[in-house]
Amino acid sequence: WQPAGIGNPLFNSCDIEKARNEEKILVIAEGEKDTLVLKQEGYLAVGVSGVNGFKEEYKEFFRDIKDIVVCFDNDEAGIQGARKVASILGHKARVVRWGEEDPEKFDVNDLYVSLSDGNFNEVFDKLLKEARPVSEPLIVPASSKVNDLIDYWNKTRDGSLLGLDTGFDKLNEKLSGLRGLTILGAAPKMGKSAFSLQMASNIAEKGMPVIYYDFENGEMRLYTRIICRLARLGETELRLTGIPADKFEDYKKAIEKFKILGNNLFVVTNRKIELTDIFQQIDYAREITDKKKILLVFDSLQKLPVKNLRDRRSGIDSWLRDLEEIRDRKEVEILLISEIKRDERGGSYRPLVDSFKESGDIEYTADTALGIYRPDAEDNTLVRLEVLAGRDVESGIVADYRVKYPFWEFEEVNREKENLYGFMEV
């Protein structure tokens, strides 16, 4: 019986005060019958008359109660109603999740009736223990993260690198593997795309998934460059003159190697790519390769799609913030290729962090900023890689590389065996 004008009062509201004083769990149930069953079985419980019976103003009644569990019926209305109540009460409110085998509209009373052996408390206590908040609190004490911290250390324990193996010894030594958000900058025609592709294919060859976002070269051209390097063939031999007889065995081995690394290499050329697409692609790559670690390569920063072409700099800086979110939320490594501002000296001048084109946020966004340039303006086959800035990496020269044309291959130069102009510069 409900007098007119009363609205939807809470049933058995006296247990609110008991839960506060005794510092016990308080269950918010859907309806009076479920509340009576819980009371009978020794729980502190308060009933809501219908899934929409809990009002915003009720929040004050539950102040200072440390643990609240909402248990509504197992149907769409009950699930949404429970989430709404928990959202009003905040992070201290958790929601019971019924099992997949439980039928539609299953509730506390149905659970009691179904357990003829009398072990209702054991089953319901398990439901209370497994109940989870709708959303995590905005802040948590650092002490609660000790186990997460140990798990973070264990991810790299017993390995030789903190990041991904690039296939370049000096680069691995300098960076301890490719990790975080790494930006690689160089002047046009310096080979930054080819260098990045070689790293990406090396990582894929070692069994790690790589998603390569290409907005410059095209999918078939990237694959051709990989085969050229693996088989030590020129592109003209593959596409025009035919493969020489003395190189055919190397070509067959390269194709087989490409098939293997190709299981872990995914090239995306969609120029309308969005953040949600990238999240889905990361999940899919992890699912089909069964690997947690993953590398994303973006070629290049200046070619990422921006909505407002009149304000490219703001669009690029917005993408940098998105890449930070991808790195942090999905725990991936990112290699971002970028052009640097043009200079009359071409590729022979040493770039600085502020040389990166069309963005003021790179120096704040990148975990590591790398630059490629020619240490000898007269030698087009030699390039130098340098750490321009890094959060966890010391700045300075990484290595010099001999560019092997026409194989799209970079080979680290042994400093002790090759004496080149400007080679010993530090």
Side-chain angles (χ1 to χ4, degrees), residues 76-357:
E76 186 62 28
I79 293 169
Q80 296 303 322
R83 291 176 64 87
K84 180 180 177 182
V85 173
S87 297
I88 292 172
L89 294 175
H91 72 274
K92 65 182 178 181
R94 299 177 291 128
V95 176
V96 163
R97 300 180 182 181
W98 296 103
E100 293 182 1
E101 70 283 358
D102 294 325
E104 182 84 4
K105 298 185 181 299
F106 197 71
D107 62 14
V108 170
N109 186 62
D110 294 328
L111 179 65
Y112 177 77
V113 171
S114 68
L115 296 172
S116 56
D117 54 3
N119 64 338
F120 174 85
N121 292 89
E122 180 183 343
V123 176
F124 194 72
D125 285 347
K126 187 172 184 292
L127 287 174
L128 293 179
K129 183 178 181 181
E130 294 176 351
R132 292 289 180 266
V134 173
S135 60
E136 293 294 327
L138 295 178
I139 56 172
V140 294
S143 58
S144 69
K145 296 292 185 178
V146 171
N147 289 336
D148 292 340
L149 180 61
I150 294 172
D151 289 342
Y152 174 70
W153 296 337
N154 286 337
K155 287 178 182 178
T156 52
R157 199 179 302 279
D158 299 326
S160 58
L161 300 169
L162 293 174
L164 298 172
D165 186 344
T166 64
F168 294 111
D169 294 339
K170 295 291 185 182
L171 183 57
N172 285 338
E173 181 182 340
K174 185 72 173 180
L175 304 185
S176 190
L178 197 64
R179 54 193 171 117
L181 175 51
T182 302
I183 299 182
L184 174 65
K189 311 303 180 185
M190 283 292 297
K192 54 187 180 294
S193 293
F195 185 75
S196 300
L197 182 63
Q198 186 170 337
M199 274 198 287
S201 56
N202 286 343
I203 290 168
E205 189 176 344
K206 294 176 188 301
M208 295 299 167
V210 177
I211 306 178
Y212 199 107
Y213 295 91
D214 172 68
F215 309 111
E216 297 211 1
N217 298 292
E219 187 176 3
M220 292 301 108
R221 185 176 293 179
L222 293 180
Y223 299 153
T224 300
R225 289 182 177 182
I226 294 174
I227 297 296
C228 285
R229 180 176 62 84
L230 294 175
R232 303 192 70 76
L233 286 166
E235 187 174 353
T236 55
E237 292 174 305
L238 286 173
R239 301 183 62 192
L240 291 176
T241 61
I243 301 166
D246 61 341
K247 293 185 178 181
F248 195 74
E249 284 301 316
D250 291 336
Y251 165 74
K252 288 199 302 183
K253 291 178 182 178
I255 291 293
E256 291 306 311
K257 188 175 287 188
F258 177 78
K259 288 179 180 178
I260 294 172
L261 74 86
N263 290 325
N264 302 303
L265 179 62
F266 309 86
V267 174
V268 179
T269 57
N270 179 11
R271 294 178 182 270
K272 296 182 179 180
I273 194 79
E274 295 184 357
L275 192 60
T276 53
D277 300 323
I278 296 172
F279 283 142
Q280 291 174 358
Q281 288 157 358
I282 292 169
D283 292 339
Y284 178 73
R286 281 177 168 158
E287 180 181 345
I288 67 173
T289 61
D290 196 29
K291 293 289 174 64
K292 174 68 175 175
K293 285 188 174 182
I294 189 168
L295 171 67
L296 309 187
V297 181
F298 292 89
D299 188 5
S300 65
L301 174 62
Q302 285 70 32
K303 294 295 180 67
L304 283 167
V306 295
K307 294 179 180 179
N308 186 359
L309 294 177
R310 294 181 179 178
D311 189 2
R312 285 190 52 79
R313 177 161 176 164
S314 294
I316 287 174
D317 286 343
S318 176
W319 263 110
L320 288 172
R321 290 189 290 273
D322 287 342
L323 294 177
E324 284 183 299
E325 183 179 355
I326 294 168
R327 175 198 62 194
D328 296 338
R329 281 182 57 185
K330 289 298 185 177
E331 297 181 355
V332 299
E333 321 301 345
I334 297 175
L335 176 61
L336 176 61
I337 302 169
S338 175
E339 292 183 11
I340 60 174
K341 297 170 185 175
R342 293 185 181 275
D343 187 277
E344 64 273 8
R345 290 165 291 179
S348 62
Y349 79 98
R350 177 181 176 272
L352 302 172
V353 175
D354 61 4
S355 303
F356 287 92
K357 187 178 178 182

